Amino acid sequence: MNLLKLSWKYLTFKPLSTGLNVLLLALGLAIITVLLLVQDQFEKKMTQDAAGIDLVVGAKGSPLQLILSSVYHIDFPTGNIPMNEAIRLSRNRLVKQTIPLALGDNYQGYRIVGTNHDYLKLYDAGFLAGNAWNEPFEVVLGATVAEKSGMKLGETFSGSHGISQGSHDHDEHAFKVVGILEPQGNVLDRLVLTSIESVWYTHDEKGEETEESEAQIEDHEEHFHHEVAKTGFPQTDEEREVTSLLIQYRSPMAAVQLPRMINSNTSMQAASPSFEISRLFELLGIGVTILEGLAYVLIVISGLGIFIALYNSLKERRYDLAVLRAIGASRIDLLLLILLEGISLTFLGSILGILLGHSFLSVLASQNETGVGAGLEAWIFLPAELWIVIYALCVGLLASLIPAWSAYRTSIADQLTRK
Amino acid sequence: MLFFTKNLQFAYPGQTRYYFPDISLDSGDSLLVLGKSGSGKTTLLNLLSGLLVPDSGEVVLNGVIVNSLKGVNADRFRGENIGIVFQKPHLLAPLTVKENLQMARHFSKSEGLDLDNLLSELNLSHKSNSSIAKLSEGEAQRVSIARALVNKPRLILADEPTSSLDDENAHKVISLLQNQASKIEAALIIVTHDQRVKDQISNFIQVQAP
């Protein structure tokens, strides 16, 4: 028997009151843990996914929406832009590289992105199996898509129209898996990549199937087996559209001139990922601040709870304390006993809180497979979590200071005489 | 002489002064301190155990002037050399019977008694791991006696140990205290207003309210 054991016995002697205080503290700390983890990983992911993209050009609408849909693939696209205008822009001397994107379909909620091989190079993507697409309707799967769908090389599937699950299927032409990407830890993991031509031809079918002539069928046969564009824009004589362009600047000057030029002189809009994302974080910041506030309120309440619990139990335990003194405990021993109770209570709360926070995040990540939450790693531990423990212990120390002092001051002779 | 007091005086703030008769005991001796309620019996007990410090005079146990010890030293000395049996058992409710005794051992560096032996001598072996709430009144009192004995003290102080007991049990408790005290060669002082105890212990002093 020592003081630590004794303090533990006193805590477990009142499981309800102890449990409530631990839970309150744990909830507050869990919120802080989640915020810490999400903030850390979210910002990292956001910057990582937008690396190498200086400007996104798409149809007019919300610039944030354009960034979210074209860089992070989470929101709906703003619309399409005429390809000839896009080509003209790509020839601007301020533009180093353009990667066109054609969006609009999904497979089981994972977006099908029509693009060229430059998009793979942008993220430095390696292949786990197979290789990149060469012909229309050949696709490459992101690591998460491959894992969740269980599809292998050579398998075929049809996409659904729209960018969220459950719309009607395009069953006229099946996509064929020719490559699977290595896990990237970025947005590519949850995308199905293919050529822009594939996306075009899928949508062409719809309108034309009723009056398909033999000539058109031949035309299609020819279409479907020629090689697709590996870089730049696909070759076509028709009036075609793409959804957006990812642009790299040639010089820093471009950042000043290009967006203004696009926004005022064309029917398209330009948005900078870094600017829009910092705006997004500003908007989210209010929510984060409110949550943080709530967490601190919970922690203060639990600190008060611990204080009240210790203070009340002290009243009931005056005799116990006096008896301890009578059998040889010093004032310091009693002080330590009460401090230990407060500290072990908060230590328990902080461990539970951190575990709760991580579990909550893992639930969040598993519930959100195709969205932004998908790549969140729930079981990464940050050095900042150590501060949560230290912070909690300080709360415990603070809450038990007055009761401990009052235990220190207890006069045993008075206590034992009062019968 | 194992234990003696000289010219003990004590006054609570603003109250009249108590003068206590001198006590002297050898190991194995027993003494009754008799007196009515409010006569200062408990005050004397607190002085003897070092829980209160006398205004003048001294309390000497085993050559150590108890009332000159301060702070941690006083507490350690009390834990090792003085066993106190309170009027009510005052056991620590979150602990089991054995843990209560272990707690008392924790604060003492001296070699104590074997816990299992002690428990079986007090007929408590079967209750060793019971919680305090499950003990009968008599059992709880025997545990509190065991706790007072566990560090092999030189002085055992008992405060009204028989006040709530019937004749038969009162007799048993006093014999138990006497037997155990002589076994570990300790002096025994019982503070009581219970005249029945006089049949067993003839040596007594009387304290009177000032």
Side-chain angles (χ1 to χ4, degrees), chain A residues 183-416:
Chain A
Q184 308 285 317
N186 59 29
V187 68
L188 287 196
D189 286 354
R190 50 191 171 84
L191 296 181
V192 176
L193 300 171
T194 183
S195 57
I196 291 182
E197 287 91 329
S198 313
V199 177
W200 284 347
Y201 300 157
T202 318
H203 292 96
D204 287 348
E205 287 295 317
K206 256 188 306 176
E208 295 166 15
E209 60 193 340
T210 43
E211 38 178 331
E212 209 163 273
S213 66
E214 257 176 46
Q216 274 170 319
I217 292 173
E218 264 170 40
D219 186 31
H220 279 156
E221 287 301 310
E222 187 196 336
H223 259 26
F224 292 172
H225 294 289
H226 79 176
E227 285 217 340
V228 299
K230 308 275 171 55
T231 181
F233 292 86
Q235 298 294 318
T236 177
D237 308 328
E238 295 166 58
E239 289 268 311
R240 288 293 194 178
E241 289 184 323
V242 293
T243 309
S244 57
L245 304 175
L246 308 179
I247 290 181
Q248 268 181 342
Y249 295 147
R250 191 174 293 282
S251 72
M253 267 304 283
V256 187
Q257 296 181 1
L258 205 55
R260 202 187 323 156
M261 194 274 280
I262 294 168
N263 286 332
S264 53
N265 296 345
T266 69
S267 64
M268 306 177 286
Q269 71 158 336
S272 145
S274 59
F275 178 78
E276 293 305 325
I277 288 315
S278 61
R279 209 166 65 95
L280 176 67
F281 280 134
E282 235 168 73
L283 291 173
L284 288 177
I286 302 167
V288 170
T289 313
I290 290 173
L291 267 179
E292 256 173 16
L294 182 70
Y296 285 111
V297 167
L298 275 175
I299 290 167
V300 168
I301 291 175
S302 74
L304 274 175
I306 292 167
F307 168 73
I308 292 168
L310 285 177
Y311 204 78
N312 278 341
S313 80
L314 209 63
K315 274 189 212 151
E316 300 159 19
R317 276 160 55 187
R318 296 234 174 254
Y319 265 122
D320 286 21
L321 294 174
V323 163
L324 281 170
R325 287 291 306 281
I327 61 175
S330 64
R331 287 174 184 277
I332 297 286
D333 288 330
L334 300 195
L335 183 93
L336 283 177
L337 177 67
I338 306 294
L339 285 185
L340 275 175
E341 268 180 56
I343 288 172
S344 30
L345 203 77
T346 44
F347 183 69
L348 220 68
S350 63
I351 298 300
L352 187 71
I354 287 174
L355 288 180
L356 253 168
H358 283 277
S359 324
F360 180 70
L361 201 66
S362 79
V363 170
L364 203 73
S366 69
Q367 292 290 311
N368 194 352
E369 275 167 10
T370 56
V372 261
L376 289 178
E377 271 294 332
W379 298 104
I380 284 176
F381 289 84
L382 302 174
E385 289 173 54
L386 203 65
W387 284 106
I388 293 184
V389 177
I390 293 171
Y391 178 66
L393 292 184
C394 288
V395 170
L397 196 68
L398 219 75
S400 50
L401 220 51
I402 294 176
W405 180 245
S406 126
Y408 181 87
R409 297 280 310 269
T410 303
S411 157
I412 29 174
D414 284 359
Q415 255 343 294
L416 292 172

Side-chain angles (χ1 to χ4, degrees), chain B residues 6-24:
Chain B
K6 264 197 305 205
N7 306 323
L8 279 184
Q9 295 182 24
F10 183 82
Y12 290 103
Q15 291 179 23
T16 39
R17 187 167 291 274
Y18 290 104
Y19 298 91
F20 294 105
D22 289 352
I23 299 169
S24 68

Side-chain angles (χ1 to χ4, degrees), chain A residues 11-196:
Chain A
L11 285 180
T12 49
F13 193 55
K14 296 217 159 147
L16 285 182
S17 146
T18 304
L20 180 68
N21 285 319
V22 167
L23 200 66
L24 263 177
L25 185 69
L27 280 181
L29 294 175
I31 293 178
I32 293 188
T33 309
V34 169
L35 288 179
L36 265 178
L37 287 170
V38 168
Q39 239 169 355
D40 178 74
Q41 297 189 27
F42 215 55
E43 284 196 36
K44 239 185 246 169
K45 255 174 75 82
M46 284 296 209
T47 352
Q48 193 189 2
D49 287 352
I53 304 169
D54 294 324
L55 197 68
V56 180
V57 176
K60 283 209 190 294
S62 148
L64 182 58
Q65 191 186 348
L66 178 62
I67 299 293
L68 290 178
S69 62
S70 293
V71 179
Y72 304 105
H73 300 277
I74 39 181
D75 205 351
F76 293 88
T78 44
N80 286 338
I81 52 175
M83 197 168 77
N84 50 16
E85 241 186 299
I87 293 174
R88 208 177 310 137
L89 177 65
S90 72
R91 294 192 182 127
N92 190 303
R93 63 186 168 77
L94 294 167
V95 174
K96 186 174 159 204
Q97 190 191 27
T98 39
I99 303 172
L101 299 181
L103 308 173
D105 287 341
N106 80 84
Y107 172 67
Q108 293 184 357
Y110 296 105
R111 294 189 183 192
I112 298 173
V113 178
T115 183
N116 58 33
H117 293 190
D118 293 337
Y119 192 61
L120 294 171
K121 280 182 210 134
L122 178 69
Y123 291 105
D124 217 1
F127 281 86
L128 203 64
N131 47 8
W133 58 90
N134 284 313
E135 289 186 1
F137 294 104
E138 291 185 336
V139 301
V140 166
L141 302 182
T144 313
V145 185
E147 188 195 328
K148 297 285 176 191
S149 66
M151 280 197 292
K152 304 263 174 340
L153 288 185
E155 277 188 54
T156 56
F157 65 92
S158 351
S160 318
H161 189 62
I163 52 173
S164 51
Q165 216 170 336
S167 321
H168 78 264
D169 286 358
H170 290 298
D171 23 311
E172 299 85 1
H173 264 281
F175 291 109
K176 184 178 170 215
V177 181
V178 296
I180 292 171
L181 294 179
E182 285 172 348
Q184 308 285 317
N186 59 29
V187 68
L188 287 196
D189 286 354
R190 50 191 171 84
L191 296 181
V192 176
L193 300 171
T194 183
S195 57
I196 291 182

Side-chain angles (χ1 to χ4, degrees), chain B residues 32 141-142 145 160-180 188 190 192 194-202:
Chain B
L32 280 186
Q141 195 179 32
R142 291 211 298 283
I145 291 173
E160 307 270 17
T162 56
S163 59
S164 58
L165 301 177
D166 56 40
D167 292 356
E168 192 190 332
N169 280 307
H171 189 272
K172 271 189 192 164
V173 164
I174 298 300
S175 328
L176 179 69
L177 279 170
Q178 274 192 302
N179 291 340
Q180 292 295 331
L188 172 67
I190 297 173
T192 188
D194 187 348
Q195 298 294 332
R196 296 175 294 182
V197 185
K198 276 203 325 198
D199 301 340
Q200 282 166 282
I201 299 173
S202 49

Side-chain angles (χ1 to χ4, degrees), chain A residues 1 9 325 328 412 419, chain B residues 46 51 75-76 87 99 106:
Chain A
M1 267 293 128
K9 292 271 180 183
R325 287 291 306 281
I412 29 174
K419 282 167 186 157
Chain B
N46 286 336
L51 295 176
D75 295 318
R76 290 283 179 262
Q87 185 174 13
E99 284 167 342
H106 171 72

Side-chain angles (χ1 to χ4, degrees), chain B residues 13 36 47 95-96 132 179 194 197:
Chain B
K36 300 191 188 79
L47 289 173
L95 306 183
T96 65
I132 296 306
N179 291 340
D194 187 348
V197 185

